[in-house]
């Protein structure tokens, strides 16, 4: 422990950019590895060549079967991009909620997003609506609307004349989530005996990934990204209690509304294409906190990077472990995430002792 | 000058403050004393603008506290809350730099200048050697000095402290009170401190205000306020008042409690 007051590091004055850059580079390496693996195995070098050949004014002699290009560009790349974007969204929302609720057990599904999305998706799946609207199927739209509605209702219930007590929001969120889950279950048992589509959506996955899914999520992720850059310092101050933060000049109520809105939009967009993938939003911020400290100016962006890398790896495992069949990615995140998390927790305790 | 005029406040219908008025001049340290539940903490929350009064005004140099925007108010009034919960994982320096929040815009981070302010605040309260320590590893006395340092880093002319020494030993108590007196005297600040120890309050405060039942019972010099008669009426305790041999301020010594039977050996 440093005693020299002149050399104590603080994130505000010595921002650890190198860790963000290093983390991004590692995610890129993971991405290329994931591109090379699957039913058709390629070398990572071939993957780089295939990608490089698409860059204008770069000339690489083609020494790979042209089917590989289709596999990379139409199948694996969109899938990996979607996994990375969803992982980053969930981790960023999880970190935001953990900071906002000052509760390390908070995750992005805390105040009803997941159950709302699940209900929306089940309504579409059970009713057999498969029509497309503006080029995308109605399923993600219904899930998105369900998620936003659930959080809005919880918010409206919790809000009172003096502001938004977070304990109320938490309770309202739990109640809305329970109600939506009950309705989902009711729909499932009252409908066609084949529940696999609903179940597989609820478990989450990226097997139907397309390029435009990523592009459709990104606009909803943008507010969260801006918030993660701008509001990290305010979120630090809000780790003191609310009255204390007010006395330090933080506009607590408007900050809460902004953070809840941005995190909800990112989560809702992510789950509407990927289904309900647990654990990533809970453990990515924790991993960052345990390894590199609690300052939200660094924790938020780094959690997004870790979330992206973790999700790409989990999806890779999901599609190669039992190849040619696939595991639901939510099962992989739980199987890999739980022991990893326990390891980090133990390591942290040892450092403290 | 901080002025409180006929302030009233009730929590969901239960009146806590029933018309209380006083003023604190620049460079003055006012001690607020009174039994538990007399309304001290509520009064301080009204003075700092965390609560809005049902009636009456709190003004600083003629400007209403409630009318100030929260950032502007934080530049005018710094607060040391009663037993604050400090977040785990942050360092002492991180926390003290949070005291600079009212001066930083949304897109700004702390500068070298803020670091200097934080460092000198830490020097004042002798916590500079703890700068890199995690908040959850501090002792009670260290925590309190760190929280005071954070309030000093806020560089506000008004400093409000809610029972800053209730959980501290003798030497830390004296240390904190000395720092407050010294810093606020130097920068001609207004200080309001709620405390329980009448002897220490008499030694360090210029004036004392004794409140009970949400009203000001008596306000004046320590000699006028800390009398055996007042303490019997407000606290229901019988005490003897001595003169401090060095400062001449009142020293409170219990003579016997309200029900202190002499033959109560077995308890």
């Amino acid at each position: 422990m440093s005693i020299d007051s002149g050399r104590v590091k603080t994130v505000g004055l010595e921002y650890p950019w190198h860790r963000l850059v290093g983390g991004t580079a590692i995610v890129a390496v993971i991405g290329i590895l994931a591109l090379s693996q699957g039913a058709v195995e390629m070398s990572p070098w071939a993957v780089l060549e295939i990608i490089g050949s698409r860059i204008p004014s770069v000339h690489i002699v083609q020494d790979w079967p042209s089917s590989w290009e289709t596999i990379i560009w139409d199948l694996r790349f969109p899938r990996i991009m979607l996994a990375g974007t969803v992982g980053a969204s969930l981790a960023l929302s999880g970190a935001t909620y953990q900071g906002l609720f000052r509760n390390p057990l908070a995750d992005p599904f805390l105040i009803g997003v997941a159950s709302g999305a699940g209900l929306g998706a089940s309504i579409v799946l059970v009713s057999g609506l498969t029509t497309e609207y503006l080029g995308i199927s109605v399923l993600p739209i219904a899930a998105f609307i369900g998620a936003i509605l659930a959080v809005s209702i919880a918010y409206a219930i919790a809000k009172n004349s003096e502001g938004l007590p977070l304990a109320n929001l938490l309770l309202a969120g739990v109640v809305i989530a329970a109600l939506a889950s009950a309705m989902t279950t009711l729909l499932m048992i009252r409908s066609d005996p084949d529940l696999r589509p609903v179940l597989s959506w609820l478990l989450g996955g990226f097997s139907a990934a397309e390029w435009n899914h990523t592009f459709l999520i990104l606009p909803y992720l943008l507010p969260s990204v801006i918030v993660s850059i701008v509001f990290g310092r305010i979120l630090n101050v809000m780790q003191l209690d609310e009255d204390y933060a007010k006395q330090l000049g933080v506009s607590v109520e408007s900050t809460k509304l902004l953070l809840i809105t941005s995190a909800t939009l990112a989560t809702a967009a992510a789950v509407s294409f990927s289904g309900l993938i647990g654990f990533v939003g809970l453990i990515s911020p924790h991993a960052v906190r345990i390894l590199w400290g609690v300052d939200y100016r660094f924790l938020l962006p780094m959690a997004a990077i870790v979330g992206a890398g973790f999700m790409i790896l989990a999806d890779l495992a999901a599609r190669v472990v039992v190849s040619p069949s696939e595991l639901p990615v939510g099962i992989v995140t739980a199987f890999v995430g739980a022991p990893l998390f326990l390891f980090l927790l133990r390591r942290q305790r040892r450092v403290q002792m | 000058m901080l002025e409180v005029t006929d302030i009233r406040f009730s929590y969901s219908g239960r009146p806590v403050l029933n018309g209380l008025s006083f003023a604190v001049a620049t460079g003055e340290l006012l001690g607020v004393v009174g039994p538990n539940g007399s309304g001290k903490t509520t009064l301080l929350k009204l003075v700092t603008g965390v609560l809005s009064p049902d009636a009456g005004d709190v003004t600083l140099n003629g400007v209403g506290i409630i009318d100030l925007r929260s950032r502007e108010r934080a530049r005018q009034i710094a607060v040391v809350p009663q037993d604050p919960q400090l977040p785990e994982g942050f360092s002492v320096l991180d926390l003290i730099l949070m005291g600079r929040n009212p001066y930083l815009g949304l897109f700004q981070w702390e500068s070298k200048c803020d670091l200097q302010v934080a460092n000198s605040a830490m020097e004042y309260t002798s916590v500079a050697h703890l700068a890199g320590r995690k908040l959850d590893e501090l002792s009670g006395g260290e925590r309190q000095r760190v929280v005071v340092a954070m309030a000093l880093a806020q560089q506000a002319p008004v400093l409000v402290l809610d029972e800053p020494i209730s959980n501290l030993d003798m030497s830390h108590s004296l240390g904190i009170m000395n720092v407050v007196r010294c810093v606020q005297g130097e920068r001609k600040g207004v200080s309001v401190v709620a405390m329980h120890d009448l002897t220490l309050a008499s030694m360090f405060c210029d004036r004392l205000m004794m409140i009970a039942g949400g009203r000001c019972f008596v306000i004046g010099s320590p000699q006028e306020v800390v009398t055996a008669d007042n303490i019997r009426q407000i606290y229901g305790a019988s005490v003897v008042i001595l003169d401090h041999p060095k400062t001449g301020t009142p020293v409170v010594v219990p003579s016997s409690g309200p029900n202190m039977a002499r033959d109560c050996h077995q308890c």
Side-chain angles (χ1 to χ4, degrees), chain A residues 180-200:
Chain A
S181 301
M183 289 160 80
T184 305
T185 314
L186 183 68
L187 272 179
M188 284 165 71
I189 52 176
R190 297 280 304 198
S191 72
D192 204 272
D194 185 13
L195 299 174
R196 269 175 303 176
V198 180
L199 205 56
S200 95

Side-chain angles (χ1 to χ4, degrees), chain A residues 295-349:
Chain A
D295 196 307
Y296 280 91
R297 287 174 285 194
F298 175 73
L299 194 153
L300 290 172
M302 195 66 188
I305 292 170
V306 170
F310 180 51
M311 192 68 107
I312 294 171
L313 276 178
D315 182 51
L316 175 64
R319 63 191 168 89
V320 298
V321 168
V322 291
S323 173
S325 159
E326 273 194 30
L327 286 172
V329 71
I331 290 176
V332 180
T333 55
F335 263 106
V336 180
L340 192 73
F341 188 53
L342 290 178
F343 167 76
L344 286 173
L345 265 183
R346 285 191 63 84
R347 191 188 116 118
Q348 180 195 32
R349 206 153 6 136

Side-chain angles (χ1 to χ4, degrees), chain A residues 1-6 8-15 17 226 229-241 243-252 293-298 352, chain B residues 45 48 50 70-71 74 77 79 81 84-91 93-95 97-99 101-102 104-112 115 119 128-129 131-133 136-137 147 150 154:
Chain A
M1 195 58 61
S2 164
I3 313 181
D4 181 5
S5 71
V8 174
K9 289 194 173 166
T10 92
V11 170
L13 287 155
E14 287 172 86
Y15 194 80
W17 288 107
I226 293 171
I229 294 165
V230 175
F231 277 83
R233 195 176 60 71
I234 306 286
L235 209 46
N236 285 345
V237 180
M238 285 179 68
Q239 298 313 296
L240 302 159
D241 64 51
D243 279 354
Y244 210 170
K246 267 183 211 162
Q247 283 161 346
L248 284 163
V250 175
S251 313
V252 173
V294 295
D295 196 307
Y296 280 91
R297 287 174 285 194
F298 175 73
Q352 277 179 353
Chain B
K45 284 192 171 173
T48 57
V50 168
S70 57
R71 259 160 59 87
I77 304 177
V79 180
Q85 295 301 308
L86 301 184
E88 284 180 19
F90 286 95
S91 73
L93 181 60
D94 287 333
L95 182 82
L97 283 170
M98 288 182 197
N101 182 63
L104 298 171
L106 205 50
F107 296 94
Q108 262 181 317
W109 284 359
E110 303 89 354
S111 66
K112 286 267 188 291
L115 185 64
N119 277 331
H129 63 291
R133 191 79 70 80
D136 30 313
E137 296 164 358
V147 173
M150 174 172 157
Q154 225 170 312

Side-chain angles (χ1 to χ4, degrees), chain B residues 61-100:
Chain B
N61 301 326
V63 182
I65 289 296
I66 292 299
D67 301 332
L68 293 174
R69 299 186 51 191
S70 57
R71 259 160 59 87
E72 182 55 31
R73 189 159 58 220
R75 290 185 205 179
Q76 301 294 333
I77 304 177
V79 180
V80 175
Q82 188 177 349
D83 193 23
Q85 295 301 308
L86 301 184
E88 284 180 19
F90 286 95
S91 73
V92 168
L93 181 60
D94 287 333
L95 182 82
I96 291 168
L97 283 170
M98 288 182 197
R100 301 302 294 163

